[in-house]
Amino acid sequence: MTATVDLTNPIFSDLDKARAHFEAIRWPQGVYCPFCGSFDRVAVLGGKSMGAGWYHCKDCRKKFTAAVGTIYERSHIPMTKWLLATHLMCASKKGISAHQLHRMIGLPYKTAWFMAHRIREGMREMNPTAPLGGNGKTVEFDETYVGGKEKNKHAVKRNKRNIGGTGKEAVFSLVERGGKVRSHHIPNVTAKTLRPIMDRQIAEATRTMSDDGGARARHGSPDHHSVNHSIGEYVRGDVYTNTIEGYFSIVKRGITGVYHHVSPQHLKRYLAEYDFRYNERSILNVTDAERAAKAVAGVVGKRMTYQQSFS
């Protein structure tokens, strides 16, 4: 059975333990200066006026905390609440709404909403370089449409540029069987849009799978197979798209049942959230505690202001 985090853990209530927990995640090899990178010339700053967690670099002569250069920098929200919110988002398979965070951690709704977007930013995979698949591996890819009314999905497929007020947005995802998923909010389902993504994300010698939808003929792999859903074919031996369809079902149930509505400008962050939880799922022997720790580690090198959260 997958271990879970005890919500009575002191890192969710004790500021000193929460700070020490974050420092251990950010600086596993010891404290270093986020400005100049110095390791051995860093000293602890004492005194009641500074508060706990402050350091001074003797090389660049700057003061800093572990929050510098992260999404926590200059935040007035206690670290205990950041860690609790991160754990709740990481432990909820379909996500947790900002309204629920607001009620559970005792912060104003707008603050909880902004926190959730910053935590999603920490979950976002930065410039992935390793492609999916490889020799002996299989990658499934497909497109889907999220948001809006179900009756409008066929109108979206006819209107490839996804305009005309249907309210649905196109999402293209690739998943390696037994491995990771990567999702993209795309403007349209055309070869011009999809081919660069597949060329960049799929390794050579990968066996690829798709259905008879808009993405079926967009990848030039010589080892590509597809199933024809339009005639009721869903499985032919090991040729199927059940893996990617299963992932899409999680995303859609979450967006419909938890968030209810996701605006186009924020969809990329919600996809990053669902990708992260899938890539760090329990079947890969990742516990809730480990998943939350990885999300916390991901905040380093990222900043998001309130204004940026709307872009």
Side-chain angles (χ1 to χ4, degrees):
M1 179 179 292
T2 302
T4 58
V5 172
D6 182 359
L7 291 180
T8 63
N9 189 317
I11 66 172
F12 301 134
S13 57
D14 187 305
L15 285 173
D16 288 332
K17 287 183 170 57
R19 175 180 52 80
H21 178 74
F22 176 53
E23 288 184 355
I25 291 174
R26 178 165 191 188
W27 295 321
Q29 307 301 323
V31 180
Y32 68 86
C33 175
F35 298 106
C36 69
S38 177
F39 264 99
D40 53 357
R41 299 274 292 166
V42 174
V44 178
L45 277 179
K48 292 183 179 180
S49 62
M50 294 297 296
W54 281 91
Y55 298 88
H56 178 256
C57 177
K58 296 179 181 178
D59 283 339
C60 68
R61 306 180 68 82
K62 291 183 178 179
K63 296 178 289 187
F64 62 90
T65 69
V68 170
T70 75
I71 63 172
Y72 306 146
E73 186 173 351
R74 308 185 82 171
S75 170
H76 297 291
I77 302 168
M79 183 57 68
T80 50
K81 293 186 183 293
W82 275 114
L83 295 179
L84 179 56
T86 301
H87 167 68
L88 291 172
M89 289 182 67
C90 288
S92 305
K93 185 174 182 178
K94 299 179 186 68
I96 182 170
S97 70
H99 274 294
Q100 188 68 22
L101 285 176
H102 144 69
R103 289 190 292 269
M104 294 183 71
I105 63 181
L107 290 173
Y109 167 71
K110 286 186 177 180
T111 302
W113 179 88
F114 182 38
M115 282 182 73
H117 274 311
R118 285 206 271 186
I119 292 169
R120 291 184 187 103
E121 189 68 11
M123 294 175 174
R124 182 171 60 90
E125 190 176 13
M126 294 280 285
N127 302 319
T129 54
L132 300 174
N135 190 27
K137 296 182 179 180
T138 299
V139 168
E140 299 175 23
F141 57 82
D142 199 3
E143 81 278 357
T144 193
Y145 299 89
V146 299
K149 296 181 178 179
E150 182 66 14
K151 67 180 182 181
N152 290 329
K153 68 180 181 180
H154 298 297
V156 174
K157 290 182 179 181
R158 288 194 298 270
N159 183 359
K160 289 186 176 181
R161 293 193 178 277
N162 197 25
I163 57 177
T166 62
K168 284 188 173 288
E169 298 294 321
V171 172
F172 179 65
S173 294
L174 311 93
V175 60
E176 180 182 311
R177 289 182 183 173
K180 291 189 172 185
V181 65
R182 287 180 186 154
S183 300
H184 308 265
H185 178 198
I186 55 176
N188 48 61
V189 182
T190 63
K192 184 178 180 180
T193 299
L194 301 183
R195 188 62 180 268
I197 296 174
M198 288 188 277
D199 289 345
R200 184 173 64 252
Q201 301 282 4
I202 302 176
E204 293 184 5
T206 301
R207 194 168 184 238
T208 57
M209 306 281 173
S210 72
D211 62 11
D212 58 334
R216 67 185 184 278
R218 310 303 183 193
H219 183 51
S221 169
D223 195 7
H224 177 72
H225 307 266
S226 64
V227 287
N228 193 344
H229 288 178
S230 62
I231 62 171
E233 181 187 47
Y234 292 92
V235 179
R236 189 177 67 254
D238 65 347
V239 177
Y240 54 83
T241 57
N242 296 350
T243 314
I244 192 68
E245 296 292 345
Y247 172 73
F248 283 153
S249 70
I250 295 172
V251 174
K252 289 185 176 184
R253 286 200 301 271
I255 289 178
T256 302
V258 176
Y259 299 118
H260 306 307
H261 170 73
V262 173
S263 59
Q265 66 264 39
H266 298 313
L267 180 55
K268 61 184 178 182
R269 296 194 179 103
Y270 287 95
L271 293 176
E273 174 189 355
Y274 284 102
D275 280 3
F276 175 82
R277 278 197 300 265
Y278 184 88
N279 294 338
E280 305 295 339
R281 57 196 184 276
S282 58
I283 199 171
L284 298 179
N285 298 317
V286 180
T287 66
D288 286 348
E290 292 168 339
R291 191 179 308 112
K294 289 181 179 182
V296 170
V299 307
V300 178
K302 300 174 182 175
R303 291 293 311 281
M304 182 191 290
T305 64
Y306 189 76
Q307 288 73 25
Q308 287 172 331
S309 66
F310 288 97
S311 61

